[in-house]
Every structure is written in structure tokens, then in C-alpha cells.
Amino acid sequence: MTLLWIPLLTLLGMLVPMLSAHRGRRFCSLATAVPPALALLLVLAQWPALAAGEALRFSLEWLPALGLELAFRLDGLSLLFNLLILGIGLLILLYAHYYLSPEEPYGRFYAYLILFMASMVGIVMADNLILLWLYWELTSISSFLLIGFWSHQSDARKGARMALTVTGAGGLALLAGLLLLGDMVGSHSMDQVLASGDIIVADPRYPLMLVLVLLGAFTKSAQFPFQFWLPHAMAAPTPVSAYLHSATMVKAGIFLMARLHPAIADSALWSVTVSLVGVATLLYGAWFALLKTDLKGILAFSTVSHLGLITMLLGIGSPMAVLAALFHILNHATFKAALFMSAGIVDHETGTRELGRLGGLRRAMPVTALLTTLAAAAMAGVPLLNGFLSKEMFFTETLATPVLGGLSWLLPALATLGGILSVAYSLRLVHAVFFKPAQEPPPKAPHEPPRLMRAPVELLVVICVAVGLVPVLAEGLLAPATQAALGEPLDFHLAIWHGINLPLIMSLIALVAGAAAYWRHADLRRFARSFHPIDARLVFESAVQRLANAAEAGLAWFDGASLQRYMTWLLLATLIAGALGLAEMTGLTGEKGNQPLDGILLLGAGLLLFGGLGTAITHRYRLISLLLLSVVGLVVSLTFARFSAPDLALTQLSVEVVTMILLMLALFFLPQKTPPESSHRRSLRDIVLSGTLGLVVASLNYAVLTRDNAPISGFFIDNSVPGGGGHNVVNVILVDFRGFDTLGEITVLALAGLAIFKLLNRLRLYMPHSDGEGRVWSPDRYPAILTSISMALLPLALLVSAFIFLRGHNLPGGGFIAGLITAVALILLYMARGVEWAQQRLDFPYQPVAVAGVGIATLTGLGSWLFGYPFLASAFGHFHLPLAGDFELATAMLFDLGVYLAVVGATLMILANLGKVTTPHRPAKEPVESFTDTTTRPSKENT
Amino acid sequence: MESLYAITTGVLTACGLYLTLRGRTFPVVVGLTLLSYAVNLFLFSMGGLTTDGATIVNGGGEYADPLPQALVLTAIVIGFAMTAFVVILAMRARSEAGNDHVDGRSHDDEERS
């Protein structure tokens, strides 16, 4: 449980600054430091147990189906990194308290910082590959927030974006790599992965997995060729740079390589790739560190260089090399954090970070000068400081490694070159800032920073010196860490003096030649200037821009904001999918033959074809097209009747009526004719496309019809009477077996009605005074015969609909059909007598009717819960009424009532509201539409 | 009979789709209605074509498959609701955009683009 508290405390610690920011800065800083400090104490408390080389574990199941568990481990490696992350993190907090100006949103800053800290702790403690990746992504995001903290600066925004893009892309590669790794091992648990090195290396997917994982590690740790984001991330506030780029973020990639070392490092591919990338990064970073003139820029490139050094050691991969790598991680974190904070102090006190404008600060800030000099000397590898020890181990390993075969001598040579450059830039950093006389006075008069702002630097420098003088101090930390990274204990002893040997000579060469290089570095700079430097940010931004443009162009080509084009794409896709499916069939005609034809079928099919084709051909003459459409609708309802579906026939018939009334009404407000606008080619293309799709549909339909299907309907037929209490199976399915579907559908119906009601709200329409041919509408508005018939018909129709409704459970009929009949009868009244007349007599809104319908149906369903049955279970029983005789009542009837009301309400809501638009107060009248001018303009003429 | 039925469904589908590819709202609405007839016929036929089949349980005779019927029944009603919505949307679009092109563009825009 203690283990869970370490990551949990830090994560919860993120809330502290947000909750305490209003209590003042001092309080907020102090409160923020509490959770990480507690976590640090918890980590330290586990140290004795870990010294024996054990790994502590905690795990909780999270998503077992995905192989994800909330599993944490604490071993030597996690311990080392946890101490760095939490320890340096606390120092950074103290430093940031002084660094940020009072008006900056420090609460937010601390929250981001702690979030970042928590995600780093998560990475180093994760005992599950996927959990590790989750935390990995969290560091990318929180570092994005931190780098872009000064979001008003364009540099900060761009730097943050670049860092996120590079590390985020690497994160995706890492995810793929880790999933592959988990697949090879058969588990995502870290233990199993670490124990399965042989299986992993022997797997044929090993090279792919390795490349993906390394992509993740290299992007995060700014290894060549992904180093370019790190210098631009320096746009962050200095505490962030000090934290992210010394101890944490960029060490995540290194950590990953060290963590997975026992599992994936045992191959030539690993050694060659990782050590070559490492040495390239080492030299690249060192060279540019020497050329930069910005204090933080120098530190950024030197970080890149040192990361390369560590990577190279991990690539060499011998036990001593891994030890050297871990030792250098520790040393680099201490001296680099100290240097970054010193740079921040200089920037803070003088107002500039440009080497050209600084100089002679030794007098104004002697303590800072001393501290910085010591830290820089550690970075350069001066004896008696910690950097010297690990660098010497590094030289020893480059001499010993056989990684490059006959070319292995290259590595020590290049390492020495890296050492020379490192000495040169360290010297330059210190000399130019503190010792060289200033060219001009700095923007602000410099003086020593507040005592406590310098305290973190002091502490770190003390560590540098202490470890440099008494290296045994680090052994207690390094022994368990090395054991964790190697998978086995390593017997070693750190010492300052190994006698006069080749590594010592390399160190001396580096020191002497480095000093010489700095002395002549003006020449070096002149030499470098003859190459045109590439600004990574420009390249990156233009690449992003190009990508965005390409995406936009692609989208415009594909999308184009044209419904016709969407439809074409959609239909083409359907066509391909359908045709492919048909092509796979063995034959079109199945085992069942054709049933015989008769004259009536032929006539019906002929009418359907005539109506369908006619609708399409005459589509420019909208009224005629609509009339032909109604022919199709009518014949479709006859088709249903012919093939034993009386319910469908009744429904189709009544829907047909309301659809036609609706379309007629709508057509009244729309142009009467469609102008010819498609080119012949376009029309031909559409004909071919839709014709081919028609063929596919026909083939498919034929294929199904001539095959024996195994319907599941037997269940419904058998259970309709005993289970649902009704003889009309279709109705029982609707209100009982599949009642939930029906409930959904009447809800959609009611929603459509409400949506239409809103769409018609304040709709401004231009009413034509004549038809498409220019004939004025008949003045005889309400024909007398229709008027009187409709009145007489209304009660009759209502009676019929009640009858249809009541018998629905046992004979063709039901709520849908009854509702449509009622709606049609009422609409007939509207048509015969006009909206105003009907409105006066039917003065109630239809919205509540529809809503009540849905409500009744839902409540009926819920009611069965009261009796302990599942939603929508129905009950029924037989009753006897005097006079009426025996009859059966089912709760399904109540549900059907809901359906009935919903249909009536929705249909009338749609049609009556649309009809209302025709009532007086017409906005204006519209000119007769011609073929060339179809746009509607406010009226020019008054009729 | 099956082949004739399939041909009819195919032709109605083709006509409906052709209309949905037109550039003005009203033909598209008509096309959608036509298409929904075709789709309903298609779905309905998934249970096989039964002549003089029983739909009421009375203990005898060959039953017409009730399941596709129930599905198509709701499909018809929903189809109506959607047609209504789309046609009102078309009216609204015409009122707002001043023309009845499906993309809300006037004829002139079309030529220019």
C-alpha cells in the first residue's frame, strides 16, 4: 500500500496549489511542497529494503481485458530516479518561488509542475507496459503545458508545440512497440517482460519492436536526429528548463532504455544503433553548445550532448557501462540542475542571457560565480568532482567495447573529441559570464540573489563535490539501481585514482585541448559561420504548414461542401462493397425456383415501373413527378396486401395520404419546376451509377428470394398467444416482443415533429400567387362538396380508427394505423375548411399529445418494474363485461395507446403547423420563377 | 415472380438514387421517398414472398413471416417522419439561403465554382 501512496500523493499534490493559490504565495509554495516531500520520505523509507536488491510491488486490477493493471514497483532503478525527480523537484519548487514574479499565476504553474512530477514518478514506478505508456503520454502533455507556460510569447507557443509533436509522435511509436513487446511475451507485466529477454530477442518481430521503442526513447531524450526540439523548449521559464532538461523529462527516454535493458538490449542491432546514435548526439550537441551565445542555449545543447553520452553507454551495454550510465545520470542531473538555476539567477539579476552582453559578474555575485564554476567544472570532467568519475568510466568503456568490430577504436577517439568540446564550452560558459570583462553594463545592476534562491544551487554543488571526493557515497544508490537495470547484482567499487592509464590520459587530453579550443574559439566560430545554420523551428513550422495545406487541399478535393459529391462517394462505396459481396457468391439463383406469375402481378409490376421511372424522368416538372410518386406508393401498399401483409398495406395506405398532402403543401412554397442544371455528362454519370446500384440491389434481392432462409419468426408465432395475449403476430411483436424498438421509434417520431415545429418558427416564406405555368390559383378556396363530406366523415373516421385500434392486438390494425387514420380525418377537415376555421375549433396544441403518447408508452414499460418484471413485460387477462361479452385486455393495449397518441400528435404537429404558414399575413409575393432565375428575392412587384 | 419482384425493387432503387443525386432539394426529397419504398419492399421480401399466408394465429395454414412485417411497419412511419423533416428543412433552407439548391448555392455560384 505504501507503494501506491508514492505516485498517488504526488498526483493528488497537483490539487494543492490550485486550492491554496488564493492564500498567498508563501503559503501556496509551502503547501505545494508537502505532498512531494512526504512521497520522498516514503521512498527513502524503502531504501534499506531495496539495498538488498529486492523489488517491491503493488498491483490492482484495472482493465484486465486489455492487460492493464494499476501496478507499481520500486526497485533500485526506480529509487534512483525517484530521488532525482522528487529531490530536485523540491529544490526547483523553492527556486521557482523566488524566480516567478508575484503577478504570474503561480498556482497554475505549481500545478503543472506537480502534474509533471507525478507523471515522471509514474513512469519510473510503472510495473505494467501500458501503464508506463500512459504516464509517458502524461509527461508529454504536462511538459507541453510547462514549456508553453508563457503563452503570450510566440517562442513559447512554438517551442511547446514542437516538443509535443515530436515527443507525442514518439509516444505513438512507443505504444506500438510496447504492444508488440507485450504480445511477444504474452503479458504486459514488467516482471514477465524483464524475465523474457531470450524469447524477445529470438522473436522475428524483434527488429520492428526495437525500432519502435527506440523511436519513443530517442524522441523523448532528444537523441539525434530528434534533438532539434530541446533547444526550442528553452522558451520555458528557467525552473521548468532546469527540471525538465536536467533531471526528468529528457531522462525518461534514458530511463526506458535502462528499464528494458535486460529484456531487449541483448543484440548486435541494439548495440550498434544505440551507441552510434549516442555518439552522434554527443558530438552534435557539444559542437553547437560551443557555438551558441545564449546561456540557456549552451546548456540545452550540452544537455543534448550529455544525453548522447549516456545513450552511448547504454548502447555499449556491458555491466560496467550500464553502471557508468546510471552514475552519469545522477551526476548530470546534479550539475546540470545547478547550472540551469545559476543561469536563471544570472538572467534574473542582470536581465539578459546573452554572452555578449554579460561579463565580469565575479565581482557583483562572487558566491554564484564560485558555485557555477564548480558545477561547470563537474560538467567538463575536472578531477575531484563527480563529472570526472563518470566521464572516466565512460572513456574506459569506449576503450573496452567491441561493438563496432575492427572500427571500435573510433569510439574512444570520438569520445575524446566530445570531451574536448565539453571542456571548451564549460570553460566558455564560466569565463564569459563571470571573468571576462564586460563590453557594456548589463540591463540591470547585478547583485547576489536572495539567500534561499541560491540554496538549491548550493546543495547541488555540495553533492557534486562530495561525490567527487568520496565516490563511495554514491555506491549505496548505484548498487541496487545497476542490479535492477542488469537483472543481476554487480560487484564494483568506485574510486578516484586508478593509476596512470589510458582513460586518464584521454581526460588530460580533453582538458588541455579543450582549453586550447576555447582559446581559439573565435576561429572555430568563424569556421562554423561558413555553414548556413538551419533553423529547426523554421523547418518544423514550414513542414507543419505544408502538411496543413496538403490536408486542406485533400479535404477540399474530397469534401468540397457539395451534397452531390458526398452522395456520389457514398454510393460508389456502397456499389463497390455490394458488388464485391455479390462477386463472391457461387451463383445468383438459389435452390428455390420462381413462383408462377399471374396477370395481376404483371400489371402491378408494370405500374410500379411506370411510376418509378416516370417520377425520375419528369422530375423537373415537380407536380407531375409527385403524382407519379403517389402511384408508386399506392401500388406498394397493394403489393403488401398481395403478399399477405394486411397491417403493412393499411399503414402504407394511410402514410401515403399524409405524405402526399405534406409534399403538396411543401411544393406550394417551393419552385414548381427544376431548372436544367446538370450537364449531359453529369446526368449520364448519375444514370450509370444509380443504374448499376439498382442492378446490384436487384441481384441481391433475387439471390435472397431464391434461397431458403431459416427465419427466427417461428418463436414469435408460437409465443404470440401464450406469451403476448394477442393473435395478430405483427402487432404483438411491435407492442410486446420488440416493444423497446417501438418506444424508440415513436420517440423519434415525436422528436421529428418537435424539430419541425421549431424549424417552422418564424419561417419567412414567399407565397406564389400562381402555379408554374403562370395560372392564378382558383379563387374558390373551399369546395362545397368537400366541405360537407369532410364534416360527415369525421365522426365516422374516428369511429373506424377506434375500431382499428381496439382490434389491433388480434386482427390487422393497431396503434400506428389507428393513429394515422385519425390524423388523416383531422387533416381532411383542415383542407376542406381552411386552417383558420379548423384552428378555432381544434384549439389545442399537438405537441403535448405527442409527448403524452411517448410518456404513456414509457410509463407502461416502467410499470412492469413495479411488479418485479423486466422493462416492458406485458400482462394480460380475460374479462367479462355485461353486454359486450368476453374480451381480452393486455397492458400492451396501454402501450399501443401511447403509440396511437404519439402518431396522431406528431403527424398533426407536422401538417397543421405547416398549414398554419399559409394563413393570412403573408410576408410578400414572389415573382414567377423562370428557368434562368431561380433565386428568391423580396418581391419586386405587388399583385 | 421472384425475378419480377427483384427487378422492380432494383428499378425503384435506381430511380430513387438518381433523384437523390440531383442538385435541387425537392427532387432529392422525392428521390428519398422513392428510395424508401424500394428499401421497404426489399426488407419486406426478406421473409420470402407468401401468397395467401396467414398473419393471424388461428392454428393452421402457412404463416407469412411476421418479423419483416413488423420491422417494415415502423420503417414506414419513421420514413414519413424523416421525409417531413427533410422537406421542411428544404423549405427553411430556401427561406434562409434564397434558393433551393442542396448546397444552398445559387445557380451563379455553381457556374463560378
Side-chain angles (χ1 to χ4, degrees):
Chain A
M1 228 17 225
T2 327
L3 274 196
L4 180 64
W5 278 110
I6 300 169
L8 200 62
L9 259 178
T10 34
L11 192 63
L12 291 178
M14 188 181 79
L15 299 174
V16 174
M18 298 201 287
L19 298 176
S20 64
H22 64 279
R23 302 281 300 270
R25 199 150 91 128
R26 183 172 293 270
F27 181 85
C28 178
S29 302
L30 278 173
T32 306
V34 172
L38 285 177
L40 184 62
L41 288 178
L42 281 177
V43 172
L44 288 174
Q46 313 299 319
W47 195 340
L50 297 173
E54 283 182 62
L56 304 173
R57 280 191 196 81
F58 170 85
S59 91
L60 249 176
E61 284 216 329
W62 185 357
L63 287 174
L66 296 180
L68 180 57
E69 42 183 0
L70 200 62
F72 294 102
R73 68 188 275 139
L74 190 65
D75 55 11
L77 198 59
S78 322
L79 173 75
L80 170 71
F81 275 92
N82 261 336
L83 291 185
L84 288 178
I85 293 162
L86 294 168
I88 296 191
L90 283 169
L91 296 180
I92 295 285
L93 266 180
L94 175 61
Y95 177 76
H97 174 76
Y98 292 98
Y99 183 87
L100 288 183
S101 60
E103 57 270 18
E104 295 203 68
Y106 49 87
R108 190 154 60 93
F109 181 80
Y110 289 157
Y112 290 167
L113 200 69
I114 301 292
L115 172 67
F116 179 77
M117 185 189 281
S119 42
M120 277 308 294
V121 168
I123 288 187
V124 301
M125 289 187 67
D127 197 22
N128 178 291
L129 291 180
I130 302 190
L131 187 67
L132 185 145
W133 180 79
L134 271 176
Y135 278 113
W136 184 278
E137 289 299 280
L138 204 55
T139 56
S140 292
I141 291 166
S142 50
S143 65
F144 170 78
L145 293 171
L146 281 170
I147 297 170
F149 181 71
W150 283 330
S151 55
H152 54 278
Q153 293 175 356
S154 149
D155 273 4
R157 291 197 305 269
K158 285 178 179 161
R161 201 162 58 196
M162 195 194 284
L164 183 67
T165 311
V166 176
T167 56
L172 286 181
L174 178 67
L175 175 64
L178 290 180
L179 288 176
L180 263 179
L181 188 59
D183 198 40
M184 289 177 192
V185 179
S187 158
H188 291 109
S189 161
M190 193 63 83
D191 259 338
Q192 300 230 5
V193 172
L194 294 185
S196 318
D198 299 337
I199 306 174
I200 295 168
V201 176
D203 198 288
R205 293 168 291 176
Y206 171 76
L208 176 64
M209 182 278 300
L210 186 66
V211 168
L212 289 169
V213 169
L214 286 182
L215 270 177
F218 287 170
T219 46
K220 200 77 157 185
S221 280
Q223 295 297 300
F224 187 82
F226 306 109
Q227 79 294 339
F228 56 88
W229 67 265
L230 188 81
H232 292 286
M234 291 297 142
T238 299
V240 173
S241 311
Y243 195 41
L244 263 63
H245 306 315
S246 64
T248 52
M249 166 99 163
V250 292
K251 294 279 166 66
I254 305 274
F255 168 80
L256 185 73
M257 289 192 272
R259 168 61 90 205
L260 293 178
H261 199 270
I264 64 172
D266 191 17
S267 73
L269 182 64
W270 164 282
S271 313
V272 174
T273 320
V274 177
S275 55
L276 283 184
V277 167
V279 75
T281 315
L282 166 69
L283 292 174
Y284 180 94
W287 173 249
F288 281 96
L290 193 56
L291 298 181
K292 283 282 154 183
T293 57
D294 169 43
L295 214 47
K296 274 173 85 177
I298 296 174
L299 290 176
F301 276 105
S302 83
T303 302
V304 170
S305 168
H306 281 269
L307 292 170
L309 190 158
I310 300 169
T311 304
M312 189 173 159
L313 279 168
L314 288 171
I316 291 171
S318 64
M320 284 307 283
V322 172
L323 170 67
L326 294 176
F327 193 23
H328 199 69
I329 288 172
L330 182 64
N331 296 337
H332 177 250
T334 46
F335 65 66
K336 191 50 66 67
L339 282 172
F340 262 118
M341 288 194 243
S342 304
I345 290 174
V346 168
D347 185 14
H348 204 256
E349 299 303 325
T350 62
T352 180
R353 293 192 321 234
E354 275 298 310
L355 283 194
R357 303 180 64 188
L358 291 165
L361 290 180
R362 174 174 45 111
R363 287 202 180 73
M365 26 202 338
V367 183
T368 309
L370 176 66
L371 294 171
T372 314
T373 311
L374 282 173
M379 176 159 80
V382 173
L384 301 184
L385 291 165
N386 60 358
F388 168 74
L389 296 171
S390 48
K391 200 164 264 186
E392 206 154 66
M393 288 163 82
F394 166 63
F395 287 149
T396 313
E397 291 314 308
T398 56
L399 281 167
T401 184
V403 166
L404 294 186
L407 287 176
S408 290
W409 58 269
L410 258 177
L411 288 182
L414 292 174
T416 316
L417 181 59
I420 294 171
L421 292 170
S422 158
V423 171
Y425 66 67
S426 306
L427 198 56
R428 173 159 171 255
L429 180 76
V430 175
H431 185 255
V433 175
F434 295 103
F435 297 94
K436 184 186 72 171
Q439 312 272 346
E440 51 181 316
K444 286 200 288 189
H447 53 78
E448 283 287 348
R451 182 70 189 75
L452 277 174
M453 187 177 187
R454 215 174 51 205
V457 188
E458 287 165 3
L459 182 62
L460 290 168
V461 170
V462 165
I463 295 176
C464 286
V465 178
V467 172
L469 290 174
V470 194
V472 189
L473 287 176
E475 278 180 17
L477 192 54
L478 288 175
T482 318
Q483 185 180 351
L486 289 173
E488 56 202 7
L490 174 71
D491 192 26
F492 68 92
H493 182 67
L494 299 176
I496 304 177
W497 181 252
H498 293 282
I500 297 179
N501 55 9
L502 207 48
L504 185 67
I505 295 172
M506 285 162 75
S507 283
L508 290 178
I509 294 177
L511 283 173
V512 175
Y518 175 57
W519 180 48
R520 302 291 303 180
H521 102 280
D523 295 333
L524 279 178
R525 286 165 60 89
R526 205 169 304 124
F527 168 69
R529 220 172 290 141
S530 55
F531 305 99
H532 291 287
I534 303 167
D535 188 342
R537 197 168 60 209
L538 287 182
V539 176
F540 178 79
E541 290 290 326
S542 73
V544 168
Q545 199 58 49
R546 267 202 306 277
L547 194 64
N549 289 345
E552 224 161 74
L555 202 61
W557 173 77
F558 184 72
D559 180 326
S562 157
L563 183 72
Q564 285 168 287
R565 209 178 298 173
Y566 296 157
M567 281 300 295
T568 313
W569 283 117
L570 194 67
L571 295 186
L572 266 177
T574 317
L575 179 62
I576 291 167
L580 282 180
L582 278 175
E584 277 173 13
M585 285 172 53
T586 44
L588 192 60
T589 313
E591 59 282 351
K592 272 199 321 192
N594 265 302
Q595 295 178 44
L597 274 172
D598 61 33
I600 294 179
L601 281 174
L602 274 176
L603 180 65
L607 274 172
L608 277 179
L609 295 180
F610 165 75
L613 289 169
T615 311
I617 292 167
T618 62
H619 77 269
R620 285 185 41 226
Y621 303 91
R622 295 180 173 180
L623 188 62
I624 299 173
S625 178
L626 196 54
L627 292 176
L628 287 167
L629 180 70
S630 71
V631 172
V632 180
L634 279 176
V635 181
V636 166
S637 68
L638 290 177
T639 311
F640 289 143
R642 168 68 178 73
F643 293 114
S644 331
D647 286 284
L648 284 190
L650 283 171
T651 315
Q652 175 68 46
L653 195 63
S654 34
V655 164
E656 190 54 33
V657 174
V658 280
T659 307
M660 282 308 137
I661 294 171
L662 171 79
L663 290 181
M664 289 277 191
L665 254 175
L667 186 56
F668 178 65
F669 297 105
L670 289 168
Q672 303 298 305
K673 289 181 185 171
T674 309
E677 61 183 324
S678 305
S679 61
H680 284 295
R681 254 180 69 186
R682 178 69 165 270
S683 300
L684 192 65
R685 189 195 75 184
D686 291 349
I687 290 173
V688 170
L689 181 60
S690 48
T692 330
L693 261 168
L695 276 176
V696 167
V697 169
S699 315
L700 195 61
N701 199 358
Y702 182 69
V704 176
L705 281 174
T706 52
R707 276 170 172 71
D708 262 329
N709 48 9
I712 54 170
S713 307
F715 169 82
F716 298 112
I717 295 170
D718 294 340
N719 287 293
S720 177
V721 178
H727 291 267
N728 182 0
V729 190
V730 175
N731 186 265
V732 175
I733 291 177
L734 284 176
V735 298
D736 194 333
F737 293 125
R738 311 285 307 159
F740 204 30
D741 287 358
T742 311
L743 182 60
E745 288 175 75
I746 57 174
T747 312
V748 172
L749 194 64
L751 281 179
L754 287 173
I756 287 169
F757 179 62
K758 290 310 283 180
L759 273 178
L760 288 173
N761 193 19
R762 298 213 197 140
L763 176 64
R764 286 170 294 113
L765 282 173
Y766 303 105
M767 299 238 257
H769 64 292
S770 60
D771 72 356
E773 310 285 293
R775 287 175 300 228
V776 178
W777 297 116
S778 158
D780 184 11
R781 294 184 72 183
Y782 305 116
I785 299 179
L786 185 61
T787 313
S788 42
I789 288 183
S790 69
M791 290 291 284
L793 220 51
L794 182 64
L796 206 59
L798 290 179
L799 197 65
V800 168
S801 90
F803 171 66
I804 293 265
F805 174 76
L806 286 174
R807 70 176 213 155
H809 217 45
N810 291 314
L811 289 167
F816 275 115
I817 302 165
L820 285 164
I821 293 176
T822 308
V824 169
L826 289 172
I827 285 162
L828 188 65
L829 207 62
Y830 273 90
M831 293 207 307
R833 304 300 295 256
V835 175
E836 288 161 70
W837 186 90
Q839 203 82 57
Q840 284 163 7
R841 285 155 185 82
L842 290 167
D843 188 22
F844 60 96
Y846 295 108
Q847 292 85 289
V849 179
V851 175
V854 178
I856 289 176
T858 314
L859 286 177
T860 313
L862 290 175
S864 56
W865 278 356
L866 291 181
F867 302 97
Y869 289 102
F871 187 62
L872 275 173
S874 81
F876 58 91
H878 291 270
F879 298 89
H880 183 81
L881 272 185
L883 290 177
D886 259 339
F887 68 104
E888 200 176 289
L889 267 184
T891 53
M893 183 77 92
L894 205 56
F895 183 79
D896 221 9
L897 179 67
V899 174
Y900 171 83
L901 288 176
V903 171
V904 173
T907 313
L908 281 173
M909 208 186 331
I910 294 166
L911 285 171
N913 283 320
L914 182 56
K916 242 186 260 177
V917 183
T918 58
T919 46
H921 319 300
R922 302 174 179 183
K925 287 184 180 163
E926 183 186 27
V928 180
E929 299 238 4
S930 70
F931 282 139
T932 51
D933 179 22
T934 56
T935 54
T936 314
R937 297 195 192 90
S939 170
K940 281 178 259 174
E941 38 154 358
N942 296 317
T943 313
Chain B
M1 185 163 80
E2 273 77 4
S3 51
L4 188 64
Y5 190 94
I7 290 169
T8 316
T9 328
V11 170
L12 289 184
T13 311
C15 294
L17 289 178
Y18 176 73
L19 288 179
T20 55
L21 285 166
R22 298 303 89 211
R24 300 281 161 169
T25 49
F26 196 76
V28 172
V29 176
V30 170
L32 281 176
T33 315
L34 199 54
L35 186 63
S36 71
Y37 292 149
V39 170
N40 286 343
L41 282 176
F42 183 86
L43 283 181
F44 170 65
S45 73
M46 291 301 106
L49 299 176
T50 318
T51 309
D52 296 332
T55 53
I56 306 302
V57 181
N58 264 332
E62 188 199 359
Y63 288 107
D65 194 339
L67 192 60
Q69 293 193 17
L71 296 181
V72 170
L73 199 151
T74 44
I76 293 172
V77 181
I78 291 278
F80 162 69
M82 288 303 116
T83 308
F85 182 74
V86 134
V87 83
I88 306 289
L89 199 62
M91 287 169 58
R92 183 88 205 191
R94 188 189 184 220
S95 146
E96 303 282 328
N99 64 74
D100 70 335
H101 194 277
V102 284
D103 301 329
R105 286 182 296 200
S106 70
H107 201 57
D108 308 336
D109 294 339
E110 185 87 335
E111 278 166 359
R112 254 183 269 127
S113 63

